[in-house]
């Protein structure tokens, strides 16, 4: 089961994600005033908001879910993402605005990484280890392929996080050291989630997470369309990034559709 404390933490986190996503999408040119720091270009704000969009769906499901194994693999990803943003914040404190949004940002990221780790440890004894009735076993080849894609995204994100100045020289849009590290943190999410496919191939343990990832990818696609003026098309990485996002949407969508179809297929 999902403990009441875990669902309560999800309920507490949700409003912050909703407000942050709203501010970043609706007022990308006023982030210095309304958000924790001034983000330029707006496409960087949209990328961060896309992670929040997936997070909103994930924590909504945590808040109402009763079976821990359906959401358990999302908690390590949240811990890594939030921990990376905490480190990025401490490394670039001079870039943040002295306003209420920064106070909320600092409070959230100073507590969330530790809270989700503690909850994940407490919840471990409540995890279901056998498949649900009618569950789908993810094919080994698909699991390995998705884990490899996730590992590549994680390693690439790590490079961008550790060396944002180097990444800024070839990235698809302009990056500052802070937005570079935020971008690296966003890229880490899919890597941590997909790594769990190496030891758990139950579709019931990944359905919610892939729904969240598809929502984030859809938000990124919309962001690339709306803020296409921010893209640096003279850089080869731009076409590569757009192609990778399109490929991820197609592959994740097809994989999710196949698993859903198999889960509905009558069993003998």
């Amino acid at each position: 089961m999902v403990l009441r404390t875990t669902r309560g933490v999800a309920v507490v986190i949700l409003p912050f994600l909703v407000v942050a996503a709203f501010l970043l999408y609706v007022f990308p040119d006023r982030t210095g005033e309304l958000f924790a720091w001034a983000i330029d270009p707006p496409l960087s704000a949209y990328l961060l908001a896309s992670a929040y969009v997936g997070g909103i769906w994930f924590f909504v499901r945590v808040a109402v879910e009763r079976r821990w194994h359906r959401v358990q693999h999302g908690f390590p990803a949240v811990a890594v993402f939030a921990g990376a943003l905490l480190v990025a914040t401490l490394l670039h404190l001079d870039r943040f605005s002295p306003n209420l949004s920064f106070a909320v940002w600092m409070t959230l990221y100073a507590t969330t990484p530790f809270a989700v780790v503690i909850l994940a440890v407490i919840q471990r004894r409540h995890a279901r280890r056998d498949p649900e009735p009618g569950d789908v076993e993810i094919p080994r080849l698909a699991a390995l392929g998705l884990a490899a894609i996730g590992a590549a995204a994680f390693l690439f994100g790590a490079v961008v996080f550790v060396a944002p100045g180097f990444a800024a020289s070839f990235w698809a849009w302009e990056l500052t050291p802070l937005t570079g590290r935020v971008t690296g943190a966003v890229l880490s999410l899919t890597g941590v989630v997909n790594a769990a496919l190496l030891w758990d191939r139950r579709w019931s343990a990944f359905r919610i997470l892939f729904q969240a990832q598809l929502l984030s990818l859809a938000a990124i696609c919309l962001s690339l369309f709306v803020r296409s003026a921010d893209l640096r098309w003279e850089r080869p990485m731009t076409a590569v990034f757009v192609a990778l996002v399109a490929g991820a949407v197609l592959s994740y969508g097809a994989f999710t559709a196949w698993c859903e179809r198999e889960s509905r297929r009558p069993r003998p």
Side-chain angles (χ1 to χ4, degrees), residues 144-179:
L144 291 174
L146 289 166
I149 292 171
F154 183 87
L155 291 174
F156 197 76
V159 170
V160 177
F161 186 90
V162 173
F166 169 68
S169 66
F170 63 82
W171 195 248
W173 60 89
E174 295 297 329
L175 292 178
T176 66
L178 177 54
T179 56

Coordinates of all heavy atoms in Angstrom, one line a residue, residues 144-179:
L144 N 15.7 -3.6 -22.2 CA 17.2 -3.2 -22.4 C 17.3 -2.0 -23.3 O 18.1 -1.1 -23.0 CB 17.9 -4.4 -23.0 CG 18.1 -5.7 -22.2 CD1 18.7 -6.8 -23.0 CD2 19.0 -5.3 -20.9
G145 N 16.5 -1.9 -24.4 CA 16.6 -0.8 -25.2 C 16.2 0.5 -24.5 O 16.9 1.5 -24.7
L146 N 15.1 0.5 -23.7 CA 14.7 1.7 -23.0 C 15.7 2.0 -21.9 O 15.9 3.2 -21.7 CB 13.3 1.4 -22.4 CG 12.1 1.4 -23.4 CD1 10.9 0.8 -22.8 CD2 11.9 2.8 -24.0
A147 N 16.3 1.0 -21.3 CA 17.3 1.3 -20.3 C 18.5 1.9 -20.9 O 19.1 2.9 -20.3 CB 17.7 0.0 -19.5
A148 N 18.9 1.5 -22.1 CA 20.0 2.1 -22.8 C 19.7 3.5 -23.2 O 20.6 4.4 -23.1 CB 20.3 1.3 -24.1
I149 N 18.5 3.8 -23.7 CA 18.1 5.2 -24.0 C 18.2 6.1 -22.7 O 18.7 7.2 -22.8 CB 16.7 5.2 -24.6 CG1 16.7 4.6 -26.0 CG2 16.2 6.6 -24.7 CD1 15.3 4.4 -26.5
G150 N 17.7 5.5 -21.6 CA 17.7 6.3 -20.4 C 19.1 6.5 -19.9 O 19.5 7.6 -19.4
A151 N 20.0 5.5 -20.1 CA 21.4 5.7 -19.6 C 22.1 6.8 -20.5 O 22.9 7.6 -19.9 CB 22.1 4.4 -19.8
A152 N 21.8 6.8 -21.8 CA 22.4 7.8 -22.6 C 21.9 9.2 -22.2 O 22.7 10.1 -22.2 CB 22.0 7.5 -24.1
A153 N 20.6 9.3 -21.9 CA 20.1 10.6 -21.5 C 20.7 11.0 -20.2 O 21.0 12.2 -20.0 CB 18.6 10.5 -21.4
F154 N 20.9 10.1 -19.3 CA 21.4 10.4 -18.0 C 22.9 10.8 -18.1 O 23.3 11.8 -17.5 CB 21.3 9.2 -17.1 CG 21.8 9.5 -15.7 CD1 21.0 10.0 -14.7 CD2 23.1 9.2 -15.3 CE1 21.4 10.2 -13.4 CE2 23.6 9.5 -14.0 CZ 22.7 10.0 -13.1
L155 N 23.7 10.1 -18.9 CA 25.1 10.4 -19.1 C 25.2 11.8 -19.7 O 26.1 12.6 -19.4 CB 25.8 9.4 -19.8 CG 26.0 8.0 -19.1 CD1 26.6 7.0 -20.0 CD2 26.9 8.2 -17.9
F156 N 24.4 12.0 -20.7 CA 24.5 13.3 -21.4 C 24.1 14.4 -20.5 O 24.7 15.5 -20.5 CB 23.5 13.3 -22.7 CG 23.8 14.4 -23.6 CD1 24.9 14.3 -24.5 CD2 23.0 15.5 -23.7 CE1 25.2 15.3 -25.4 CE2 23.3 16.5 -24.6 CZ 24.3 16.4 -25.5
G157 N 23.0 14.2 -19.7 CA 22.6 15.2 -18.7 C 23.7 15.4 -17.7 O 23.9 16.6 -17.2
A158 N 24.4 14.4 -17.3 CA 25.5 14.6 -16.3 C 26.6 15.4 -16.9 O 27.2 16.3 -16.2 CB 26.1 13.2 -15.9
V159 N 26.9 15.3 -18.2 CA 27.9 16.1 -18.8 C 27.5 17.6 -18.8 O 28.3 18.5 -18.5 CB 28.2 15.6 -20.3 CG1 29.1 16.6 -21.0 CG2 28.9 14.2 -20.2
V160 N 26.2 17.8 -19.2 CA 25.7 19.2 -19.2 C 25.7 19.8 -17.8 O 26.0 20.9 -17.6 CB 24.3 19.2 -19.8 CG1 23.7 20.6 -19.8 CG2 24.3 18.7 -21.2
F161 N 25.4 18.9 -16.8 CA 25.4 19.4 -15.4 C 26.8 19.8 -14.9 O 27.0 20.8 -14.3 CB 24.7 18.4 -14.5 CG 24.5 18.9 -13.1 CD1 23.3 19.5 -12.7 CD2 25.5 18.7 -12.1 CE1 23.1 20.0 -11.4 CE2 25.3 19.1 -10.8 CZ 24.1 19.8 -10.5
V162 N 27.7 18.9 -15.2 CA 29.1 19.1 -14.6 C 29.8 20.1 -15.4 O 30.6 20.9 -14.8 CB 29.8 17.7 -14.7 CG1 31.3 17.9 -14.3 CG2 29.2 16.7 -13.7
A163 N 29.6 20.2 -16.7 CA 30.3 21.2 -17.6 C 29.4 22.0 -18.4 O 29.3 21.9 -19.6 CB 31.3 20.4 -18.5
P164 N 28.6 22.9 -17.7 CA 27.6 23.7 -18.5 C 28.2 24.6 -19.5 O 27.6 24.9 -20.5 CB 26.8 24.4 -17.4 CG 27.8 24.5 -16.2 CD 28.6 23.2 -16.3
G165 N 29.4 25.1 -19.2 CA 30.1 26.0 -20.1 C 30.5 25.3 -21.4 O 30.3 25.9 -22.5
F166 N 30.9 24.1 -21.3 CA 31.2 23.2 -22.5 C 29.9 23.0 -23.3 O 29.9 23.1 -24.5 CB 31.9 21.9 -22.1 CG 32.0 20.9 -23.2 CD1 32.8 21.1 -24.3 CD2 31.3 19.7 -23.1 CE1 32.9 20.2 -25.3 CE2 31.4 18.8 -24.1 CZ 32.2 19.0 -25.2
A167 N 28.9 22.6 -22.6 CA 27.6 22.3 -23.2 C 27.0 23.5 -23.9 O 26.4 23.4 -25.0 CB 26.6 21.8 -22.2
A168 N 27.3 24.7 -23.4 CA 26.7 25.9 -24.0 C 27.3 26.2 -25.3 O 26.7 26.9 -26.2 CB 27.0 27.1 -23.0
S169 N 28.5 25.6 -25.6 CA 29.1 25.9 -26.9 C 28.4 25.1 -28.1 O 28.7 25.5 -29.2 CB 30.6 25.5 -26.8 OG 30.7 24.1 -26.7
F170 N 27.7 24.1 -27.8 CA 27.0 23.4 -28.9 C 25.5 23.1 -28.6 O 24.9 22.6 -29.5 CB 27.7 22.0 -29.0 CG 27.6 21.1 -27.8 CD1 26.5 20.3 -27.6 CD2 28.7 21.0 -26.9 CE1 26.4 19.5 -26.5 CE2 28.6 20.2 -25.8 CZ 27.4 19.4 -25.6
W171 N 25.0 23.6 -27.5 CA 23.6 23.2 -27.2 C 22.6 23.9 -28.2 O 22.9 24.9 -28.9 CB 23.2 23.7 -25.8 CG 22.0 23.0 -25.3 CD1 20.8 23.7 -25.0 CD2 21.7 21.7 -25.0 NE1 19.8 22.8 -24.6 CE2 20.4 21.5 -24.6 CE3 22.5 20.5 -25.1 CZ2 19.8 20.3 -24.3 CZ3 22.0 19.3 -24.8 CH2 20.6 19.2 -24.4
A172 N 21.4 23.4 -28.2 CA 20.4 23.8 -29.2 C 19.9 25.2 -29.0 O 19.3 25.8 -29.9 CB 19.2 22.8 -29.2
W173 N 20.1 25.8 -27.8 CA 19.7 27.1 -27.5 C 20.7 27.7 -26.5 O 21.5 26.9 -26.0 CB 18.3 27.3 -27.0 CG 17.9 26.6 -25.7 CD1 18.1 27.0 -24.5 CD2 17.4 25.2 -25.6 NE1 17.7 26.1 -23.6 CE2 17.2 25.0 -24.3 CE3 17.0 24.2 -26.6 CZ2 16.7 23.7 -23.8 CZ3 16.5 23.0 -26.1 CH2 16.4 22.8 -24.7
E174 N 20.7 29.0 -26.2 CA 21.7 29.6 -25.3 C 21.5 29.1 -23.9 O 20.4 29.0 -23.4 CB 21.5 31.1 -25.4 CG 21.9 31.7 -26.7 CD 23.3 31.5 -27.1 OE1 24.2 31.4 -26.2 OE2 23.6 31.4 -28.3
L175 N 22.6 28.7 -23.3 CA 22.6 28.3 -21.9 C 23.5 29.2 -21.0 O 24.6 29.6 -21.5 CB 23.1 26.8 -21.8 CG 22.2 25.7 -22.4 CD1 23.0 24.4 -22.2 CD2 20.9 25.7 -21.8
T176 N 23.1 29.4 -19.8 CA 24.0 29.9 -18.8 C 24.5 28.8 -17.9 O 23.9 27.7 -18.0 CB 23.2 31.0 -17.9 OG1 22.2 30.3 -17.2 CG2 22.6 32.0 -18.8
P177 N 25.4 29.0 -17.1 CA 25.9 27.9 -16.2 C 24.7 27.3 -15.4 O 24.6 26.1 -15.2 CB 26.9 28.5 -15.3 CG 27.5 29.6 -16.2 CD 26.4 30.1 -17.0
L178 N 23.8 28.2 -14.9 CA 22.7 27.7 -14.1 C 21.6 27.0 -14.9 O 21.2 25.9 -14.6 CB 22.0 28.9 -13.4 CG 20.8 28.6 -12.6 CD1 21.0 27.4 -11.6 CD2 20.2 29.8 -11.8
T179 N 21.2 27.6 -16.1 CA 20.2 26.9 -16.9 C 20.8 25.6 -17.5 O 20.1 24.6 -17.8 CB 19.7 27.8 -18.0 OG1 20.8 28.3 -18.8 CG2 18.9 28.9 -17.5

